[in-house]
Structure formats: C-alpha cells, structure tokens
C-alpha cells in the first residue's frame, strides 16, 4: 500500500479562507487543518476531508445536551472530563507531531480520563467514551468510518444515540480490541457504563418533551 502524498504545508501567512479551495483528492494533515479559516466544520479521516452536516437540529442539541449534563453532573469531583462538540480529538498513529496526524474528529460528546491526553487544542489520543447523536443527514459511510476509527484507536466505549428512534446502542471494546454491541436500549430503560462505574442514564430523561 503506497504512502499518501501529504499536501504541502502552508505558510502561516497563507490561510485557506474558502472551503472550495481544498482538493478532496489530496491527503491533509492536522498541520493543514490548523490553517483552515473557513466557517464550514470538517473532520479528517486518514487525511481525507469529511464535511460535517449543517448546524445540528434543535432535537439533536436537546438530546446531546441532556446526555452531556448528566455526564457532567456525575463527573463533578472525579478525574474524568467531559467535552462537547466542537472539540478536536486527534488520533495519532505514531508521532504526535501536527504534520503526522491525519485523523481529527469532533465527537458530539467525549469523556477523557487520562489528563495527559489533553492540551490547549483539545485531545490527542483516544477518549475513554465517545457519544455520537445521529442526525437524519448522517450517512452510513460516515458512521462506518467513525466506528472504524474509534475501534482502531481503542475508544473503550462508544454510544450511538438515535434521536428519531429514541434509542441507544453501546459498543464496548473487548480484550481483542474489537467492539462488541449491546442490545438496543429504548424508552423506560436505563443504561450504565463500564468506563464510568456507578453512572446511570435513564432514556426517558434523554428523550422526554421532544
């Protein structure tokens, strides 16, 4: 498999101000990403650009906000930190240098328990827990790509929240480094977390009044 040809690193005085100035056929690094000043939100997966959906819907924001609030309240006084998008999570293969990082995602919610992974720009390395709230615009390819990244880099727990079906599916990383799916949790049920012992989330609290 041939190595990707990195896009030339731009000088600090040459920021990219228009999304359409980018060439989707090229491979970009986090170093390039830092120089993009256009308003559109994008993610990088193995150097390829993925344009994110427009601003999330009200229901998406309410669902994500409810989960974030529950996690935040639970984590008060505990070592883990919870963050919501937009928040860059870089996934380095070997070197953590900006020019060597080719995957940057913005999970809806992530929990990081290893504070050494946190810096001024966000997180470098896999969060312990990632929550993605699906929107009607999410494509199957987008979901598959993120699933593969989270599994490959060792995210311990990955929640997929469907706002339309009002359910949550939890993937837990097993000893072989592969995701194992839970049953689908629906209204009137509660979920717990292997990453956060003692945490409980009632689905009725997440989806009420929507």
């Amino acid at each position: 498999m041939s190595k990707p040809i990195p896009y030339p690193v731009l000088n600090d005085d040459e920021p990219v101000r228009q999304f359409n100035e980018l060439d989707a056929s090229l491979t970009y690094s986090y170093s390039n990403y830092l120089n993009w000043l256009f308003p559109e939100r994008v993610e990088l997966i193995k150097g390829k650009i993925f344009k994110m959906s427009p601003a999330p819907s009200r229901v998406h924001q309410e669902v994500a906000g409810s989960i974030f609030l529950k996690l935040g309240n639970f984590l008060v006084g505990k070592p883990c930190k919870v963050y919501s998008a937009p928040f860059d999570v870089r996934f380095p293969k070997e070197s953590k240098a900006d020019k060597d990082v080719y995957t940057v995602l913005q999970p809806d919610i992530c929990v990081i328990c290893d504070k050494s992974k946190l810096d001024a720009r966000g997180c470098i390395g896999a969060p312990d827990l990632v929550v993605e709230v699906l929107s009607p615009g999410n494509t199957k390819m987008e979901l598959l790509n993120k699933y593969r990244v989270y599994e490959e880099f060792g995210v311990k727990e990955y929640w997929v929240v469907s706002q339309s079906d009002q359910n949550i599916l939890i993937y837990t990383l097993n000893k072989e480094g592969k995701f194992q799916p839970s049953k689908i949790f629906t209204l009137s049920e509660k979920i717990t977390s292997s990453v956060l012992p003692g945490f409980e989330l009632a689905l009725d609290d997440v989806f009420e009044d929507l």
Side-chain angles (χ1 to χ4, degrees), residues 69-185:
L69 195 61
K70 300 285 185 188
L71 286 167
N73 287 338
F74 176 78
L75 292 174
V76 170
K78 296 182 174 64
C80 301
K81 299 276 190 179
V82 61
Y83 298 91
S84 61
F87 178 79
D88 285 345
V89 179
R90 291 112 69 201
F91 293 89
K93 288 289 281 185
E94 293 170 8
S95 165
K96 293 182 180 180
D98 294 348
K99 65 181 179 57
D100 298 324
V101 175
Y102 290 94
T103 297
V104 185
L105 297 181
Q106 292 190 356
D108 285 321
I109 300 169
C110 59
V111 174
I112 295 116
C113 297
D114 180 354
K115 289 186 179 178
S116 71
K117 292 182 178 180
L118 297 172
D119 61 17
R121 294 169 176 171
C123 175
I124 183 154
D128 294 82
L129 186 155
V130 164
V131 181
E132 294 283 10
V133 180
L134 304 185
S135 297
N138 290 117
T139 65
K140 288 183 179 177
M141 184 56 69
E142 179 186 352
L143 296 176
L144 182 59
N145 285 331
K146 288 190 175 184
Y147 174 97
R148 286 172 172 165
V149 169
Y150 295 147
E151 183 179 66
E152 176 187 349
F153 285 90
V155 171
K156 294 174 186 174
E157 201 168 274
Y158 173 32
W159 300 1
V160 179
V161 182
S162 172
Q163 53 173 305
S164 54
D165 296 328
Q166 298 194 339
N167 62 40
I168 298 178
L169 177 63
I170 297 177
Y171 292 98
T172 305
L173 204 68
N174 66 17
K175 291 178 181 177
E176 287 73 45
K178 298 295 181 184
F179 275 146
Q180 294 295 315
S182 68
K183 76 181 193 73
I184 293 175
F185 294 90

